[in-house]
């Protein structure tokens, strides 16, 4: 089973006609599961938030990060485990596999 998530960052300069127009920057993350069916599984994602902050696409405290399911609407629970504004920020997200 393969699902896609969207990581969203708040920037006010541009708008998209989708989930929330005040979150124009997004990137897709694909998660694959070749094992048994899982429900509300937790997965970690490592992001280079330092590069995003430097590019002006993210706040330095990561307070504008959101995770949305592949439908582009459903927000998913997540937490930042470590390293905001670093090359290897660890984010855990509960995914409905």
């Amino acid at each position: 089973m393969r699902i896609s998530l969207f990581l969203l960052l708040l920037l006010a300069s541009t708008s998209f006609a989708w989930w929330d127009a005040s979150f124009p920057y997004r990137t897709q993350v694909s998660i694959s599961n070749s094992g048994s069916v899982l429900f509300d599984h937790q997965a970690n994602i490592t992001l280079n938030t330092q590069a995003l902050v430097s590019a002006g696409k993210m706040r330095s405290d990561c307070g504008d990060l959101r995770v949305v399911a592949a439908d582009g609407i459903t927000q998913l629970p997540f937490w930042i485990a470590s390293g905001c504004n670093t090359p290897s920020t660890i984010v855990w997200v509960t995914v409905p596999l």
Side-chain angles (χ1 to χ4, degrees), residues 11-92:
L11 286 174
S13 61
T14 314
S15 64
F16 285 78
W18 73 297
W19 177 74
D20 186 332
S22 64
F23 284 78
Y25 182 77
R26 60 186 173 182
T27 188
Q28 186 172 355
V29 176
S30 295
I31 298 174
S32 297
N33 173 25
S34 59
S36 61
V37 176
L38 303 171
F39 296 96
D40 294 329
H41 184 73
Q42 297 171 358
N44 72 349
I45 302 167
T46 302
L47 302 171
N48 183 347
T49 56
Q50 186 176 52
L52 294 168
V53 169
S54 295
K57 295 180 177 178
M58 180 178 231
R59 288 182 6 197
S60 62
D61 66 357
C62 296
D64 51 357
L65 177 67
R66 302 292 183 270
V67 181
V68 179
D71 64 7
I73 298 169
T74 306
Q75 292 187 64
L76 299 176
F78 74 94
W79 64 98
I80 299 170
S82 66
C84 185
N85 200 6
T86 67
S88 56
T89 302
I90 298 172
V91 177
W92 284 90

